[in-house]
Amino acid sequence: THRMLCANQQQIAQVWPFLTRHSLVLVDWLPWSHTFGGNHNFNMVLSHGGTMYIDEGRPAPGLIEHSVRNLREVKPNFYFNVPRGFDMLLPYLEQDEATARDVFANMEGIFYAAAALPQSLWQRLETVVGKVRERPVWFTSAWGSTETSPGMTAVHWRIEQAGCLGLPLPGGELKLAPNGNKLEMRVRGPNIFPGYLNQDSLTQAAFDEEGFYRIGDAGKLVDPADPAQGVMFDGRVAEDFKLSTGTWVSVGTLRPRIVTVMAPHVADVVITGHDRDEMGLLVFPTPQAKALPESELQSHLREAMRRLAAEGGGSSQHPTRALVQAEPPSADAGEITDKGYINQRAVLEHRAAEVAALYDPAHARVIRL
């Protein structure tokens, strides 16, 4: 509703007061059919009188080059993207200092959302920034959904690493409710949708007895002794699965940790193991990893799995097998979303044969611990 959208922009402005003092200049590819690009970014520029350049590029082969060119030309003062977008942009910034200098010339803040950002990407971005300017760029994030207009929490202070989703926006409330072995995040506030049109049963199921919306994400405090440090994402309640041992695997938190350990050889992974004894990975390699001899890439991935195993935590914390995918995620098959990140469920369904091969003891391409 208009009330939700207007309330949300007012909430964001109260924790990000720079929005009312400096005109935003954005270069943005995020589709307006999605709440991040439309209700968040476009409405933010509209609310405060800024400039938005629509980027015809996006995080995809053959299109990311357009984004690089546009960023160099416009030199935005704030940059919104999803983790996949930063992953594809970074090689251009790392290989050409002039490009990096242009992109970060006027940059005040970098914002990531829609998926967890691997710490390795954060560190690479900081390294590039440190090479081309003395003043650091502010890294920030937020959390919400279409039904929350979309902002529910926001980071409005300096954080040192990826993971923090911030604190509830003014007027918003966040409740952590036990759900299985996790805490489900439920929310209430003026930016929350009133319900589904002509679907009373769905509306009733979407809210708890106190009127909090069941968003479906799990969370926890960054510091249990200090709630002011904010909350962090702990996976989707519905995305997690159990191994045959009965142990839960937290997909949302484990995936970025695995990608970080396997950097720079892995662009993304899909975690397997539902009702099986051990966890496995479908691995999507980076372009530089594809150029390596197969034996060398397998050696790198096996060593990364060893490091994950050495960190402890049992079978739910480390994979024992991996299978490198020859083909990248397919947007046509729904394997990659319009925000540019992996759809775990769609990949598992579309590549059921690859999942079966991953657990075939005779399959030659499977990398095993």
Side-chain angles (χ1 to χ4, degrees):
T1 67
H2 286 163
R3 176 179 184 270
M4 292 165 54
L5 299 175
C6 292
N8 200 218
Q9 289 301 323
Q10 176 62 28
Q11 289 173 304
I12 295 170
Q14 285 179 215
V15 295
W16 285 358
F18 59 83
L19 291 174
T20 63
R21 297 197 296 262
H22 305 285
S23 293
L24 281 177
V25 179
L26 303 185
V27 176
D28 201 358
W29 66 270
L30 291 158
W32 293 357
S33 58
H34 189 271
T35 195
F36 186 1
N39 295 341
H40 192 275
N41 298 357
F42 176 70
N43 283 2
M44 192 175 290
V45 173
L46 191 65
S47 296
H48 304 291
T51 306
M52 172 178 274
Y53 292 85
I54 300 172
D55 178 12
E56 81 272 32
R58 60 177 296 158
L63 293 175
I64 187 65
E65 294 83 359
H66 296 296
S67 296
V68 174
R69 183 195 65 220
N70 294 334
L71 286 166
R72 293 193 71 175
E73 180 181 339
V74 175
K75 300 180 176 61
N77 59 10
F78 217 90
Y79 190 46
F80 295 91
N81 212 332
V82 297
R84 179 62 176 157
F86 291 116
D87 184 36
M88 293 204 71
L89 180 64
L90 265 165
Y92 296 89
L93 304 178
E94 291 170 330
Q95 293 164 17
D96 186 350
E97 197 167 293
T99 296
R101 185 169 283 105
D102 286 344
V103 170
F104 291 115
N106 300 323
M107 195 82 72
E108 295 295 333
I110 289 176
F111 177 101
Y112 73 90
L117 182 77
Q119 184 62 23
S120 57
L121 288 185
W122 175 296
Q123 292 167 344
R124 288 168 65 192
L125 280 165
E126 281 195 326
T127 299
V128 171
V129 170
K131 288 180 179 178
V132 298
R133 53 186 276 175
E134 293 183 5
R135 189 163 51 91
V137 172
W138 179 49
F139 285 77
T140 182
S141 186
W143 168 77
S145 70
T146 301
E147 295 87 349
T148 67
S149 307
M152 194 64 222
T153 68
V155 177
H156 51 84
W157 61 93
R158 190 170 293 280
I159 50 178
E160 302 300 325
Q161 61 182 13
C164 180
L165 301 174
L167 287 166
L169 292 167
E173 297 174 84
L174 171 62
K175 175 169 70 173
L176 297 173
N179 187 325
N181 65 334
K182 291 193 172 186
L183 294 173
E184 179 189 357
M185 294 192 281
R186 300 180 186 178
V187 291
R188 188 167 64 181
N191 56 312
I192 307 298
F193 81 131
Y196 297 102
L197 185 64
N198 301 325
Q199 297 284 343
D200 291 343
S201 59
L202 284 179
T203 298
Q204 186 175 356
F207 295 87
D208 68 13
E209 64 284 353
E210 295 181 305
F212 282 83
Y213 171 54
R214 304 171 185 264
I215 202 167
D217 287 345
K220 57 186 178 182
L221 295 175
V222 172
D223 181 353
D226 183 11
Q229 296 298 313
V231 294
M232 62 190 301
F233 184 64
D234 196 24
R236 289 283 296 170
V237 174
E239 195 177 56
D240 296 347
F241 63 84
K242 282 184 179 181
L243 297 171
S244 60
T245 58
T247 306
W248 281 98
V249 174
S250 178
V251 172
T253 53
L254 192 59
R255 188 194 63 82
R257 184 161 72 90
I258 291 172
V259 172
T260 295
V261 173
M262 292 187 165
H265 302 97
V266 170
D268 218 326
V269 298
V270 165
I271 298 173
T272 68
H274 177 67
D275 285 342
R276 297 183 183 269
D277 295 341
E278 298 174 337
M279 188 201 309
L281 301 175
L282 298 182
V283 173
F284 295 96
T286 57
Q288 57 264 46
K290 289 181 179 179
L292 295 174
E294 184 177 0
S295 60
E296 186 175 342
L297 176 57
Q298 289 191 356
S299 178
H300 283 300
L301 296 180
R302 188 175 290 109
E303 177 56 32
M305 287 196 290
R306 286 197 186 102
R307 291 201 302 274
L308 287 163
E311 293 176 4
S315 59
S316 66
Q317 295 299 307
H318 68 88
T320 62
R321 61 197 66 225
L323 186 58
V324 176
Q325 300 299 287
E327 296 297 325
S330 167
D332 291 340
E335 294 183 329
I336 189 163
T337 70
D338 58 2
K339 293 177 288 185
Y341 72 90
I342 291 281
N343 182 332
Q344 166 101 2
R345 180 174 297 175
V347 171
L348 292 175
E349 291 176 357
H350 187 241
R351 305 191 187 217
E354 291 284 271
V355 175
L358 187 56
Y359 292 91
D360 181 352
H363 200 287
R365 287 177 42 234
V366 174
I367 306 161
R368 299 176 179 83
L369 269 183

